[in-house]
Amino acid sequence: MSTGAAGQVPPSGRTQVAVLGGGLLGMTLALRLAERGFSVTLLDAAPAPGGLAGAQTIGGYSWDSFYHVLLLSDRNTRALIDELGLGSLVRWGRTRTGFFSDGAMHSMSNTVEFLRFPPLSLIDKLRLGGTIFLASRLRDARRLERELATDWLRRWSGPRVLERIWLPLLRSKLGENWRIASAAFIWAIIARMYAARRSGLKEEMFGYIEGGYSQVLAALTQRLQAAGVSLFHGVPASAIHDRGHGVELTMADGGTLAFDRLVATVPTPAFAALCPQLDAAERERLGAVVYQGVVCSTLLTRRALSPYYVTNITDPGIALTGVIEMTALVDRAHFGGHSLVYLPRYLAQDDPAWSRSDADFERDAIESLRRMHPHFEAADIVDFKVARARHVLAIPTLDYTDRAMPPLATSMPHVTLLNSAQIAQGTLNVNETLGVIEQRLPALLQRLQAAS
Ligand SMILES: Cc1cc2nc3c(=O)[nH]c(=O)nc-3n(C[C@H](O)[C@H](O)[C@H](O)COP(=O)(O)OP(=O)(O)OC[C@H]3O[C@@H](n4cnc5c(N)ncnc54)[C@H](O)[C@@H]3O)c2cc1C
């Protein structure tokens, strides 16, 4: 991509908007803006589209770098899939959940199994069930932002359930950041878990798209091209300046581009680093958003590990925080009869594990899986990949909405921020990410149209 001199606004008469960041949020937003008559350019640092929803090739098969499932209640995601004409590619299936606890695997996939779950006493189970029920009934989670997740859970579930169930689960989702998460986080997790469980025996139901999320990305790319959006990948930006009459975007190759307006959909720390003109108060607020990262190993294996889509690990002797067996949901025929397994490890920004090599993660994976599944052998592995993402989820910390959530508007009149850190009292998923667009589009359009 060649970049030109700053200040040259293309002479089309339509407002020229740059959308910086080509994940699902940036791509969908670019489409919505093009549909409303803006001249849109989408720019992304990565060589391929989709950000966290992008694909990798493993053992010759293409599937998501990070595992994704749909819920029946994912209204925004399903509407987008239908809009793109991909509704017929969605498959739904019942899945099971395992718990690896005290050196043994337990199924906890429905109410009966929950009642039989040996690591907890009957009183513990009643308190755990009561906590989940209470959270599922709470409609206003805003007040839960005032209390730490661990304090709230200790109060409702008791210290033993906190130790044995909630803390391992919090660690598996948040790494060391479990210490700073508010009770709103646990509420959002329970609400999503609950939504995945159908009535009756409360069995879990998930969906996926045949071919993975790359099908959505390909269809969105086509739609964007048809709507006249200019798409550029592999073009990292290094600075954003508001020049009074418009925006100057400096690219890592030193070139500059000029636009009337810019909407950034990049993670909050990346945005703060790109904008030297932000004032001290804005910088402080943006700096208050604490991000969680993930290192996610993917294995293609000759044999299935288990019947569980998710295995939660509450056994401190295992170096993994969870196992996601995608082929417990997706037909193994998609992978030549092999099993596709993800091993996510969620990390705080300062975790020393960021510097570990792919080989280190592979060693951990083999050792842990052999302890969990005695039939598993290293020779079963057909291919092994490691994907890393530093800025995945903005942790819902205490008073997150009032204290830390980044506002749409910035002190740079032509520059706006729209990203997943603006999800209120939720957890990160595509549905909530698309919800950010739905909720904020009217305010964004006003800002884009405002004369300056
Ligand atoms: C392990 C994991 C599991 C998940 N599981 C599910 C699931 O089961 N179901 C579900 O619905 N969701 C799931 N998600 C969440 C889902 O992937 C996200 O909600 C969604 O992809 C977020 O999209 P985004 O556009 O907001 O962010 P991103 O995808 O992070 O996009 C941001 C983009 O900004 C670009 N960028 C950053 N800096 C610059 C720069 N300087 N210049 C140019 N571009 C830049 C990046 O390259 C990136 O493409 C999961 C995510 C992870 C990581």
Side-chain angles (χ1 to χ4, degrees):
M1 177 194 186
S2 65
T3 52
Q8 292 172 357
V9 176
S12 77
R14 290 193 296 154
T15 307
Q16 311 281 318
V17 181
V19 173
L20 186 67
L24 272 171
L25 200 162
M27 291 176 86
T28 311
L29 176 70
L31 183 61
R32 299 295 172 246
L33 295 180
E35 286 164 352
R36 282 163 179 80
F38 292 98
S39 168
V40 183
T41 303
L42 180 72
L43 305 114
D44 194 275
L52 296 174
Q56 65 183 348
T57 302
I58 178 148
Y61 303 97
S62 167
W63 205 266
D64 309 3
S65 297
F66 302 105
Y67 51 95
H68 286 86
V69 285
L70 288 170
L71 268 61
L72 285 165
S73 55
D74 282 346
R75 197 177 49 84
N76 302 320
T77 314
R78 295 180 67 190
L80 178 67
I81 289 170
D82 287 342
E83 179 187 339
L84 296 172
L86 302 178
S88 63
L89 293 186
V90 177
R91 302 280 172 270
W92 296 98
R94 283 197 191 143
T95 51
R96 295 176 61 192
T97 298
F99 261 79
F100 188 75
S101 189
D102 299 331
M105 189 70 83
H106 308 278
S107 180
M108 200 148 101
S109 310
N110 58 44
T111 312
V112 175
E113 288 178 350
F114 172 74
L115 290 170
R116 282 203 201 117
F117 189 52
L120 296 179
S121 70
L122 186 61
I123 300 282
D124 289 342
K125 283 171 197 161
L126 288 174
R127 292 194 77 169
L128 177 59
T131 310
I132 293 173
F133 184 73
L134 174 78
S136 73
R137 295 284 125 171
L138 272 179
R139 288 288 157 259
D140 175 19
R142 186 78 182 257
R143 65 192 170 86
L144 295 183
E145 288 193 353
R146 288 186 222 127
E147 191 170 3
L148 283 174
T150 41
D151 290 344
W152 189 81
L153 289 167
R154 188 177 294 106
R155 182 145 43 85
W156 292 107
S157 289
R160 209 172 33 220
V161 177
L162 176 67
E163 254 343 290
R164 306 215 66 181
I165 298 288
W166 290 118
L167 273 186
L169 286 181
L170 276 172
R171 280 200 192 97
S172 77
K173 297 256 172 227
L174 296 176
E176 280 305 298
N177 285 324
W178 65 268
R179 296 171 196 282
I180 55 169
S182 79
F185 176 74
I186 211 76
W187 173 83
I189 293 285
I190 290 174
R192 195 158 169 84
M193 252 169 49
Y194 219 75
R197 293 187 175 236
R198 291 146 28 105
S199 53
L201 277 180
K202 299 280 179 216
E203 287 174 325
E204 195 172 69
M205 179 100 160
F206 284 133
Y208 69 95
I209 301 147
E210 287 260 2
Y213 252 92
S214 63
Q215 302 297 319
V216 175
L217 301 175
L220 251 177
T221 301
Q222 268 185 13
R223 212 37 94 81
L224 288 168
Q225 284 163 342
V229 174
S230 306
L231 293 163
F232 297 98
H233 291 107
V235 287
S238 61
I240 303 168
H241 286 94
D242 197 308
R243 294 299 184 209
H245 54 274
V247 183
E248 180 187 289
L249 183 63
T250 307
M251 309 310 292
D253 69 3
T256 57
L257 293 164
F259 298 95
D260 298 327
R261 306 279 187 272
L262 181 142
V263 187
T265 71
V266 301
T268 312
F271 179 70
L274 285 167
C275 301
Q277 292 167 311
L278 294 175
D279 63 39
E282 279 178 302
R283 212 165 270 292
E284 194 182 328
R285 182 161 181 124
L286 296 180
V289 182
V290 180
Y291 269 83
Q292 173 83 358
V294 72
V295 177
C296 189
S297 306
T298 315
L299 291 89
L300 196 70
T301 62
R302 289 198 172 80
R303 286 186 285 174
L305 293 178
S306 78
Y308 307 118
Y309 170 69
V310 176
T311 301
N312 295 302
I313 298 168
T314 59
D315 190 313
I318 301 285
L320 308 174
T321 51
V323 177
I324 312 290
E325 192 151 356
M326 201 71 214
T327 36
L329 174 66
V330 179
D331 191 342
R332 292 174 70 191
H334 285 292
F335 305 99
H338 301 315
S339 290
L340 185 70
V341 178
Y342 292 91
L343 306 175
R345 185 150 164 206
Y346 290 93
L347 300 176
Q349 296 302 315
D350 59 355
D351 197 305
W354 285 112
S355 61
R356 304 186 76 222
S357 67
D358 291 7
D360 291 335
F361 285 110
E362 185 164 5
R363 235 184 348 264
D364 278 1
I366 292 170
E367 197 180 304
S368 300
L369 290 177
R370 284 180 71 168
R371 290 184 54 195
M372 292 173 66
H373 303 284
H375 69 271
F376 172 80
E377 291 168 20
D380 288 343
I381 300 176
V382 177
D383 201 359
F384 184 91
K385 287 274 162 80
V386 180
R388 294 170 177 79
R390 273 270 178 184
H391 299 123
V392 173
L393 160 79
I395 307 281
T397 42
L398 287 178
D399 286 326
Y400 180 77
T401 309
D402 289 338
R403 190 184 50 82
M405 183 188 283
L408 186 88
T410 73
S411 59
M412 301 156 75
H414 302 91
V415 178
T416 305
L417 175 64
L418 196 76
N419 70 15
S420 64
Q422 292 160 349
I423 295 173
Q425 295 111 36
T427 77
L428 182 76
N429 54 65
V430 172
N431 193 59
E432 302 247 17
T433 302
L434 296 176
V436 170
I437 302 180
E438 188 163 297
Q439 288 150 17
R440 288 177 169 72
L441 194 58
L444 172 65
L445 291 173
Q446 250 184 15
R447 194 167 155 83
L448 293 179
Q449 282 151 357
S452 59

